[in-house]
Amino acid sequence: MIDIVSGQVASLSKGSMVVMVGGVGLRVNVPKTVFDSITGAGQNVVLYTHLQVREDGLTLFGFSSEEERALFEILISVNGVGPKIGLAILSTLSVDHLRSAVGRDEPEVLTRVPGIGKKTAEKIVFELKNKIGIGGMPAVVAINELDTDVINALTYQFGLSLVEAQSALQAIPRDAPADLGTRIALALQSLSN
């Protein structure tokens, strides 16, 4: 129904924003990654959307890419995973990190997401095995040498678990400088937020 929303952000509230489109303000629920990328009201955004139709109302969800939206739609197709859990997963894990966890059969990565226990994580990994990745084969994240150094520093020098370190690594902006010290600082800063 509503595939893409493009307009100016009118207001922000926790986990959602109102986007002005042709004089109409649409409330769009977004993952933390999208929410954090918005600097404030007045910014123009393009969101790939999923409209949930229920008898008690219509709810619009927005994502920064078609791939992220497709993954959300796959997640909510899993029995017991609703939009709230789907957004929580995409707020905590990047698309590549989720694919990696599924491809490596690591449900413990998903238990870091608020609201997901061990059984639900195992169910999600089991059901997504053949649904994500190219040709049913889940994609594995390639980590470059610099990112490996960041993870090593976070785990050995700062005492973080591997899952915490990987999550902090994902929070580093893609356009961040390729400097080890800066990337570690950005990763640690994301943990304090």
Side-chain angles (χ1 to χ4, degrees), residues 109-129:
V109 171
L110 285 165
T111 60
R112 188 172 191 285
V113 176
I116 296 185
K118 183 179 177 184
K119 287 184 180 182
T120 303
E122 290 171 350
K123 183 178 187 177
I124 291 169
V125 168
F126 177 76
E127 292 199 27
L128 293 186
K129 266 282 196 216

Side-chain angles (χ1 to χ4, degrees), residues 71-82:
L71 188 53
F72 173 78
E73 291 171 342
I74 291 169
L75 283 168
I76 63 174
S77 73
V78 174
N79 191 21
V81 176

